[in-house]
Amino acid sequence: MFNNNLLYHISTYGCQMNVHESEKIAGIFEKKGFVKAASNDVADIILFNTCCIRDSAEKKILGNLGVIKHIKAHNPKLKVIVCGCMTQQENTAKKLITRFPFIDAVLGTNSIQELPGAIDKLFSDTGKIINVYETKEIYESSEVKRNTYPLSYVNIMYGCNNFCSYCIVPYVRGRERSRKEKDIINEIAGLKEAGYKEVTLLGQNVNSYGNDLNDGSSFAKLLAEIDENTGIDRLRFMTSHPKDLSDELIYAIRDVKSVCNYMHLPIQSGSDRILGLMNRKYTRGDYLRLIEKLRKANPSIALSTDIIVGFPSETEEDFKDTLNLVKEVGFDSAFMFKYSKRTGTKAANMPKQVSMGDKTLRINALVELQKQLCFKSNLKDVGRVFKVLVENTSVRDDTHFCGRSDTNKMVNFFSDKDLIGKIVDVEITQAKRTTLFGKLV
């Protein structure tokens, strides 16, 4: 146990998986007696929890690591740890320490359980630590410093078996490994007891939960068991792969009481040719049939997606196929990205890489289309009453609160009482492109 004068600072990059892992890391620091620092320039130990999914994220991390050099020059006792997806790439750990010799430790995506020992070693000697390895084991962490009340994240599985040609995740997160159902249920029951209202279940492909357990487990069954045995108010999940979206799961979204009326289902491209090159294992027609099934089972379900533009050899016709699919589905929201070359993936070496200029033109056109669709979707909600989980006060006005409907839309409304953590009925009175406004019912 360290004295409580020592301060830690965590810089987190990337997805919800990384955000939740930083909560576990913070729990480890605080169990050892560290206190969270207000900023990295006053910290005794700084940890970078990294992402490598896109080139822009990696460049940002490297730039911010460079800043630490000057902080350490003024505070030679400062300890610096780098962990997460970026470190798990081949030879990256050694490259990082060579480029930034002030880094004291590099830990991989499977090394959170090694962090307590690494902290002890860093404060007892001056040696470098490199601990990057693959494992099939799952580390059940009891030290979690959650900071997203009334929302929470729970991993149900780790890794990915899909090997989409553009994606680095299987190389840095390893193969799919599912947590045991009882461990998931116990964690969520504890969150419910602590007052949390909503849990987002995390996995690179939650639809394939249980495939490696060989005990009849499935994601749909897991949702039902969580609902029955924890009493949690709301369940969300991400991310789902279309090739593994079963009828059983479609009905579970409709029938399991706590599951929100929302589905995030990445399409990535509307072109069959590009989907084949991406190794997505479904066609445009397959995807549209899934959308039809989802809406037939639950006509009011909200849908979001991920889309990549400028994949190698993507033509204007391929891009038009994407635009037409987006129009046909009418997504309520979408996460849209320019293709980013990732060393080690199959797509990185594909011919006919698309120019940055063309990527920019295409992403701009797609974003503009999706803005129109978001606004159209939001206009349909005016006059409806939603149950909203209140997450926080408005940045601009602390008499206004914000939270999400079960369709995952942000809703703002006035209240003269503190409602954070409550689920309230709000009637929608106004719609903007990305936000709804309403009044308490």
Side-chain angles (χ1 to χ4, degrees):
M1 179 70 72
F2 291 82
N3 70 67
N4 58 12
N5 293 321
L6 290 177
L7 304 175
Y8 74 90
H9 188 272
I10 301 171
S11 293
T12 306
Y13 304 84
C15 64
Q16 289 90 342
M17 187 83 76
N18 278 24
V19 170
H20 182 43
E21 286 177 350
S22 286
E23 291 181 330
K24 298 176 184 178
I25 290 166
I28 290 170
F29 277 123
E30 298 206 358
K31 187 175 182 181
K32 283 191 164 291
F34 286 79
V35 176
K36 184 178 179 180
S39 62
N40 59 16
D41 56 353
V42 297
D44 297 286
I45 188 166
I46 297 172
L47 184 142
F48 284 78
N49 188 7
T50 64
C51 171
C52 64
I53 299 303
R54 283 177 289 280
D55 183 60
S56 58
E58 198 162 310
K59 285 179 178 175
K60 184 177 181 181
I61 293 162
L62 294 174
N64 289 339
L65 271 169
V67 173
I68 302 303
K69 176 181 179 181
H70 305 290
I71 297 176
K72 193 151 185 175
H74 293 287
N75 179 14
K77 292 183 178 180
L78 172 67
K79 307 300 180 185
V80 180
I81 300 176
V82 182
C83 68
C85 294
M86 184 174 160
T87 65
Q88 197 73 30
Q89 297 175 94
E90 188 175 2
N91 297 320
T92 295
K94 291 180 180 178
K95 288 178 182 176
L96 279 171
I97 285 185
T98 301
R99 179 171 175 179
F100 303 105
F102 55 83
I103 293 175
D104 299 288
V106 179
L107 305 178
T109 55
N110 302 308
S111 304
I112 288 181
Q113 63 266 38
E114 311 294 340
L115 181 58
I119 294 169
D120 292 340
K121 186 175 181 181
L122 290 181
F123 282 91
S124 62
D125 63 48
T126 56
K128 302 282 186 183
I129 299 171
I130 297 179
N131 205 331
V132 179
Y133 56 84
E134 292 188 13
T135 182
K136 294 182 179 179
E137 301 299 316
I138 289 179
Y139 169 59
E140 290 293 340
S141 174
S142 59
E143 305 94 11
V144 182
K145 178 68 175 177
R146 297 185 185 271
N147 53 23
T148 54
Y149 176 85
L151 315 177
S152 55
Y153 297 114
V154 171
N155 285 106
I156 65 168
M157 61 189 302
Y158 301 88
C160 184
N161 292 351
N162 289 313
F163 289 92
C164 300
S165 62
Y166 53 83
C167 186
I168 196 72
V169 166
Y171 304 98
V172 298
R173 290 280 182 181
R175 302 295 80 75
E176 289 177 355
R177 308 179 309 283
S178 302
R179 290 179 68 194
K180 293 178 181 177
E181 183 181 282
K182 65 178 180 63
D183 292 328
I184 297 167
I185 287 174
N186 287 341
E187 183 176 354
I188 295 174
L191 288 167
K192 170 66 176 178
E193 188 175 345
Y196 287 85
K197 294 293 197 302
E198 180 178 301
V199 168
T200 297
L201 305 175
L202 299 176
Q204 264 73 39
N205 178 18
V206 292
N207 293 2
S208 58
Y209 170 81
N211 288 354
D212 58 315
L213 296 178
N214 300 314
D215 61 359
S217 297
S218 73
F219 185 46
K221 290 176 184 176
L222 177 67
L223 291 174
E225 289 296 321
I226 293 171
D227 183 78
E228 183 176 342
N229 293 291
T230 69
I232 197 70
D233 297 83
R234 283 185 166 187
L235 277 175
R236 300 190 191 274
F237 53 86
M238 63 187 318
T239 296
S240 290
H241 196 298
K243 75 177 180 63
D244 300 310
L245 178 54
S246 65
D247 290 350
E248 182 187 25
L249 179 54
I250 289 172
Y251 298 137
I253 296 169
R254 180 192 66 188
D255 297 334
V256 177
K257 182 181 177 182
S258 57
V259 174
C260 288
N261 193 25
Y262 166 75
M263 178 96 188
H264 182 72
L265 193 64
I267 176 64
Q268 305 299 6
S269 174
S271 161
D272 279 341
R273 189 180 73 85
I274 296 298
L275 288 172
L277 290 172
M278 287 179 166
N279 193 36
R280 291 292 287 174
K281 301 182 178 71
Y282 57 82
T283 65
R284 174 196 184 96
D286 295 333
Y287 187 89
L288 290 172
R289 282 186 285 274
L290 289 174
I291 297 298
E292 184 180 6
K293 279 186 177 183
L294 282 160
R295 285 179 168 156
K296 185 177 180 180
N298 187 354
S300 63
I301 192 170
L303 298 168
S304 65
T305 195
D306 292 340
I307 302 169
I308 296 170
V309 304
F311 187 82
S313 82
E314 182 188 68
T315 65
E316 284 298 326
E317 281 302 310
D318 293 321
F319 179 61
K320 285 178 183 177
D321 285 343
T322 296
L323 289 177
N324 290 334
L325 182 138
V326 170
K327 290 176 187 175
E328 185 172 350
V329 174
F331 293 106
D332 296 274
S333 61
F335 299 90
M336 298 158 283
F337 310 96
K338 299 175 186 177
Y339 167 72
S340 179
K341 186 187 291 189
R342 299 283 74 201
T343 301
T345 63
K346 189 174 181 179
N349 297 317
M350 286 183 178
K352 300 181 181 178
Q353 296 284 328
V354 177
S355 71
M356 184 56 69
D358 284 343
K359 289 180 188 177
T360 300
L361 288 172
R362 291 173 191 176
I363 197 78
N364 289 344
L366 181 61
V367 167
E368 184 54 39
L369 171 61
Q370 186 55 47
K371 282 180 179 178
Q372 295 170 19
L373 293 173
C374 286
F375 189 39
K376 183 179 179 180
S377 171
N378 286 350
L379 284 172
K380 292 178 182 178
D381 291 331
V382 175
R384 297 180 64 189
V385 175
F386 288 102
K387 291 194 176 297
V388 173
L389 172 57
V390 185
E391 299 175 17
N392 216 325
T393 56
S394 169
V395 174
R396 297 178 181 176
D397 184 349
D398 61 11
T399 67
H400 282 72
F401 290 81
C402 60
R404 292 188 183 273
S405 65
D406 70 338
T407 56
N408 203 42
K409 293 186 178 182
M410 183 58 70
V411 180
N412 286 271
F413 62 92
F414 167 80
S415 175
D416 56 4
K417 296 180 181 178
D418 184 352
L419 296 174
I420 294 175
K422 307 289 186 184
I423 296 176
V424 298
D425 289 327
V426 179
E427 180 183 349
I428 306 305
T429 58
Q430 183 186 6
K432 293 191 175 180
R433 280 190 170 184
T434 58
T435 309
L436 298 171
F437 294 84
K439 62 181 180 180
L440 280 173
V441 176

